[in-house]
Amino acid sequence: MGLMTIGVFAQAAGLTPKALRLYDQVGLVPPAAVDAESGYRLYDPAQLPSARLVAQLRGIGMPLATIRVVCGLDPAAAAEAITAYWRRVTADTAARARLATILVDHLSEGGATMSDPSSAVAVRYAARCDTGLVRDSNEDAAYASDRLLAVADGIRGPGGAAASAAAIDALTPLALVDAPAVDLLTMLAGGVADADRSVRGLATDEDQPGTTLTALVRSGSQLALAHVGDSRAYLLRDGELSLLTQDHTWVWAQVDQGRLDRAEAAAHPERALLVRALGSGAQVEVDLALRTARPGDRYLLCSDGLSAVVDRAALHSALAAPTDPGDTVRALVDLAWAEGAPDNIACVVADVVVG
């Protein structure tokens, strides 16, 4: 068979002539020849398999730059690259679906109207990090401001401290943004994605740093919560202490599946083994939630250097004491020290007051 005109070739490949002209410009499917007089592009039938592959990859939404790489690989490597790409797409779609569901629920409850000046609140806060009694370095980081509260616990290793600091740094621009409440989750989800990229950017041939991240961003009385790992967020409201996050650890996954009970999980030798963290896995999976803050609320964000060694009753007692956030974070660190402080400690305490 001789060379095919662009129209015939496009139809056989499942593409359009317009698409073929674009792919010629970017070097994906160049014509086998160009007629010197008419300028018509002509294609070899042997080019059909690669052209069809391009059409199929565009059909799943793969960017042209990625397609160019995939088309240069051998079949096994190309299959692996397509699998990795689709895994990222699936994770991103799932994250967007969760965010959409939360926003729909929030708007259905009238959350978009939460700009009533009578509901204005402010936050008083304090943060503290401590190396503890056993560790010789600090991989934890904490940040507190009127709009952003965050705690990160770097996975122990040469890059742990840099990872937790990078995660917090990626979120700090959110402390300067006064956004509508309905935009909070979208902003925070984007901030966590930025934090994940920052942590992955610290990787070396010898080490891939990782970190947990738990953060709250505020707009008026609305709070957006993001959580990855086993740092925690607690709420003391009307004298009752509630845990707002779920640990992303192997043992708590076993509890969810009914394979371990809570007592077994608390004493398990692998209780600190994370199944989710920034910088780990193909793509970060983050828990997101929207909450409404009330005057009188007290929030605690902390690393497991506090929550894993100080029991819940002692946490409750310290948070319920009539002390300001600065004195409270000092009291919490003292409690960890009284239990031997085997790990770094990071904690943030924030009180919601009438603005």
Side-chain angles (χ1 to χ4, degrees), residues 87-349:
R87 188 181 299 120
R88 292 193 299 272
V89 170
T90 302
D92 183 59
T93 300
R96 289 171 182 265
R98 289 194 300 272
L99 179 56
T101 298
I102 293 168
L103 289 173
V104 168
D105 290 344
H106 177 63
L107 292 170
S108 298
E109 295 170 358
T113 63
M114 294 299 296
S115 58
D116 182 355
S118 65
S119 66
V121 298
V123 174
R124 296 173 183 162
Y125 51 84
R128 186 171 178 183
C129 284
D130 192 281
T131 303
L133 286 167
V134 176
R135 298 289 175 84
D136 56 3
S137 61
N138 181 29
E139 281 81 38
D140 286 5
Y143 180 92
S145 73
D146 184 57
R147 296 191 182 276
L148 173 67
L149 312 171
V151 163
D153 181 355
I155 296 172
R156 188 152 178 80
S164 61
I168 297 289
D169 287 346
L171 288 189
T172 51
L174 298 180
L176 305 176
V177 177
D178 185 10
V182 73
D183 293 336
L184 280 184
L185 273 182
T186 303
M187 289 171 41
L188 186 52
V192 173
D194 290 342
D196 185 53
R197 284 190 288 271
S198 295
V199 173
R200 290 176 191 274
L202 299 173
T204 66
D205 292 339
E206 295 78 27
D207 183 49
Q208 171 57 72
T211 183
T212 71
L213 180 64
T214 302
L216 283 166
V217 177
R218 183 179 73 87
S219 176
S221 61
Q222 297 297 288
L223 298 172
L225 169 66
H227 170 67
V228 182
D230 65 349
S231 295
R232 291 184 171 183
Y234 292 89
L235 168 63
L236 181 71
R237 174 177 285 176
D238 298 330
E240 183 174 334
L241 185 63
S242 302
L243 178 61
L244 303 182
T245 54
Q246 178 175 325
D247 293 351
H248 298 144
T249 58
W250 179 84
V251 294
W252 285 108
Q254 302 307 299
V255 171
D256 287 343
Q257 296 168 18
R259 297 176 180 174
L260 291 175
D261 62 31
R262 290 179 176 270
E264 291 171 327
H268 199 283
E270 299 293 339
R271 60 186 175 275
L273 179 62
L274 294 174
V275 295
R276 286 199 229 167
L278 297 188
S280 175
Q283 185 168 347
V284 66
E285 183 178 354
V286 58
D287 290 347
L288 297 165
L290 272 174
R291 304 191 60 84
T292 300
R294 299 179 186 172
D297 286 350
R298 170 167 278 188
Y299 287 86
L300 166 66
L301 275 60
C302 66
S303 64
D304 66 339
L306 178 66
S307 60
V309 298
V310 177
D311 66 35
R312 187 156 176 150
L315 286 179
H316 189 178
S317 179
L319 291 169
T323 53
D324 65 29
D327 289 337
T328 304
V329 294
R330 285 188 286 272
L332 290 168
V333 171
D334 288 346
L335 287 174
W337 272 64
E339 297 297 330
D343 197 355
N344 304 147
I345 309 150
C347 55
V348 171
V349 171

Side-chain angles (χ1 to χ4, degrees), residues 25-103:
Q25 293 172 9
V26 298
L28 270 176
V29 188
V34 178
D35 186 275
E37 293 185 5
S38 66
Y40 287 167
R41 294 170 170 86
L42 301 171
Y43 294 82
D44 193 309
Q47 293 179 276
L48 281 172
S50 61
R52 287 170 179 152
L53 176 60
V54 171
Q56 291 160 348
L57 294 176
R58 286 298 290 161
I60 64 171
M62 184 177 284
L64 292 176
T66 308
I67 291 175
R68 187 182 298 110
V69 174
V70 171
C71 288
L73 301 174
D74 62 67
E80 184 176 336
I82 293 168
T83 299
Y85 166 76
W86 193 248
R87 188 181 299 120
R88 292 193 299 272
V89 170
T90 302
D92 183 59
T93 300
R96 289 171 182 265
R98 289 194 300 272
L99 179 56
T101 298
I102 293 168
L103 289 173

